[in-house]
Amino acid sequence: MTQGSLSEEALRQIRLFRRQYLQLLDAQNLAWPSSETLRSSQAQEWIYEHLFQTDDVSHFLPPERYRLLILKPLMSKIENSIVDPEEDEISDNLMSTLAELMFSPMPDDATAAQQRNWVTYTPLSKDSPSLDKEPELKLLENRAVISGAGTTGLRTWEAALHLSSYLISTPELIASIKGKRVIELGAGTGLLSILCASHLGASQVVATDGDEGVVQALHENAAFNDVKDAMDIGVLWWGRALKGSWMFEKDPSVSCDLVLGADVTYDKAVIPALVSTMRDMFEVWPHVQIIISATIRNSDTFAAFEYACAHNEFNVHEVDYPLIPMEQQTSLFHSTAVSIKIFSITAPAKQRDPYAI
């Protein structure tokens, strides 16, 4: 099907809807296309081909339960959009897909909660031109499961999405990443690391996490996105000597230009170890910049991080990148119900003596 018969506004609506759908947004957060758009047979076929058709792309589609959850109200909206029953049609392909999904055996809630599913992210800034084929990152995630080590690195959290949005929307940062070496702390599913390796032109990305199960999943996601050769992935425990880590065993002269961390200030108990690792990084790479994206769930926890940074005389600057309400977001969708702040952190003007009392 060609897109020439669809208006620019109709294409804008259905492309936005597709991005949200592939990111598995809750139905109440979807920007449903207008009745005028849904009434169009061309729009219906576009939706079928790009959201529900299983040929060739079924490996990356949302789970069947989610497809059914979205297709049922979508069909209802299409039916309600009909003005002239003799002229306006409902896609046979969409109706057949709905019937197939309704009669397909579905896992129960407990089983579904344990399954890993494809989540597709579209790294587009608000100023990105309209593209027939949009850039995508596909990650296997489990949004309901906490890993064996008690961490939550099997899903992508709001702070990572907000920081990703900031990176792709800031020309100076894009320029500073291209051709440079990036390290991510607490990488989780790897969204930020894979974004830097696949779309922002980093020469090498080191993705680290403190959970071996999460690191194994990171290897898979890097391979799925064809960036495994551009990434080093491994376990890094905060608070332990950086120079004794696998990064330096692999390359004693390893360098770093930028460090990223999203949602790494989640627990007051991890703050001392995190800040210790940051201090190590400044001692090894005095000119490195660390960018932290923090969801402020607990003001006391974040205050502990701020205090630790001040105690170590880090230069901390809050980045002016306000949250965009979800209904105004066009990609990398994330809730703004809780405050998210981004900080740029650099080394003290004079390095602190690590042996000083």
Side-chain angles (χ1 to χ4, degrees):
M1 187 195 83
T2 63
Q3 298 181 0
S5 54
L6 289 168
S7 69
E8 288 187 12
E9 175 58 20
L11 277 172
R12 184 198 67 79
Q13 291 179 21
I14 56 182
R15 283 172 174 163
L16 174 62
F17 183 65
R18 178 180 183 271
R19 288 177 221 135
Q20 295 174 328
Y21 166 84
L22 292 179
Q23 201 181 307
L24 274 59
L25 263 61
D26 292 339
Q28 65 266 27
N29 291 325
L30 294 174
W32 298 90
S34 68
S35 294
E36 181 180 358
T37 296
L38 291 177
R39 191 161 52 246
S40 161
S41 59
Q42 291 89 353
Q44 292 178 35
E45 285 308 305
W46 192 99
I47 290 171
Y48 167 71
E49 291 176 13
H50 292 83
L51 279 71
F52 296 101
Q53 187 175 23
T54 56
D55 296 349
D56 300 325
V57 296
S58 59
H59 191 48
F60 299 108
L61 285 179
E64 288 186 335
R65 284 168 61 100
Y66 182 81
R67 278 181 264 164
L68 179 59
L69 178 70
I70 302 306
L71 186 53
K72 287 173 71 175
L74 177 65
M75 293 301 291
S76 177
K77 290 177 183 293
I78 291 174
E79 290 173 0
N80 291 335
S81 75
I82 299 300
V83 174
D84 185 345
E86 294 185 1
E87 293 290 332
D88 301 328
E89 299 179 350
I90 298 177
S91 165
D92 288 338
N93 286 324
L94 286 176
M95 288 194 294
S96 297
T97 300
L98 178 60
E100 290 172 8
L101 288 171
M102 290 183 69
F103 289 100
S104 294
M106 297 285 175
D108 58 36
D109 290 345
T111 302
Q114 298 295 319
Q115 293 177 337
R116 296 170 69 197
N117 299 308
W118 288 107
V119 185
T120 301
Y121 299 94
T122 312
L124 291 172
S125 70
K126 63 180 181 180
D127 299 321
S128 296
S130 178
L131 301 170
D132 289 342
K133 184 172 177 56
E134 298 179 334
E136 293 179 342
L137 300 177
K138 297 177 174 65
L139 303 180
L140 265 178
E141 300 188 13
N142 190 315
R143 298 187 168 191
V145 170
I146 295 178
S147 71
T151 62
T152 52
L154 298 176
R155 62 165 294 171
T156 300
W157 293 90
E158 288 81 1
L161 290 161
H162 187 56
L163 181 52
S164 296
S165 178
Y166 171 61
L167 294 180
I168 64 174
S169 302
T170 310
E172 298 84 358
L173 268 177
I174 295 174
S176 70
I177 291 172
K178 188 173 183 179
K180 301 297 177 62
R181 188 178 180 91
V182 178
I183 294 177
E184 184 179 6
L185 300 174
T189 61
L191 174 68
L192 285 164
S193 291
I194 294 170
L195 174 67
C196 289
S198 62
H199 295 288
L200 299 182
S203 62
Q204 189 69 18
V205 177
V206 180
T208 70
D209 201 278
D211 184 319
E212 293 183 0
V214 170
V215 165
Q216 179 57 44
L218 257 170
H219 279 284
E220 295 178 69
N221 281 333
F224 288 136
N225 288 278
D226 296 321
V227 292
K228 202 162 186 180
D229 291 342
M231 291 178 62
D232 288 324
I233 301 169
V235 174
L236 181 68
W237 287 290
W238 301 339
R240 299 190 184 182
L242 191 64
K243 284 196 171 181
S245 69
W246 60 271
M247 286 188 290
F248 283 86
E249 290 179 0
K250 182 176 181 179
D251 180 5
S253 62
V254 61
S255 63
C256 179
D257 303 291
L258 178 67
V259 175
L260 301 174
D263 223 347
V264 291
T265 59
Y266 56 90
D267 186 343
K268 199 172 183 178
V270 307
I271 299 299
L274 169 63
V275 172
S276 173
T277 293
M278 292 168 62
R279 185 173 63 239
D280 271 5
M281 289 178 158
F282 287 137
E283 289 169 0
V284 176
W285 306 301
H287 302 294
V288 74
Q289 179 187 15
I290 300 177
I291 299 179
I292 299 292
S293 179
T295 303
I296 316 298
R297 300 184 185 88
N298 183 300
S299 57
D300 289 342
T301 298
F302 192 73
F305 175 70
E306 290 182 304
Y307 174 81
C309 288
H311 179 71
N312 284 274
E313 300 179 352
F314 297 165
N315 294 307
V316 180
H317 168 68
E318 183 174 349
V319 173
D320 182 18
Y321 189 71
L323 290 167
I324 300 172
M326 190 176 231
E327 62 271 16
Q328 297 177 24
Q329 296 171 16
T330 56
S331 68
L332 299 171
F333 307 97
H334 54 282
S335 170
T336 58
V338 179
S339 175
I340 305 172
K341 296 183 179 181
I342 298 175
F343 295 88
S344 173
I345 305 172
T346 54
K350 182 179 180 181
Q351 285 288 12
R352 184 174 178 269
D353 182 353
Y355 300 103
I357 298 176

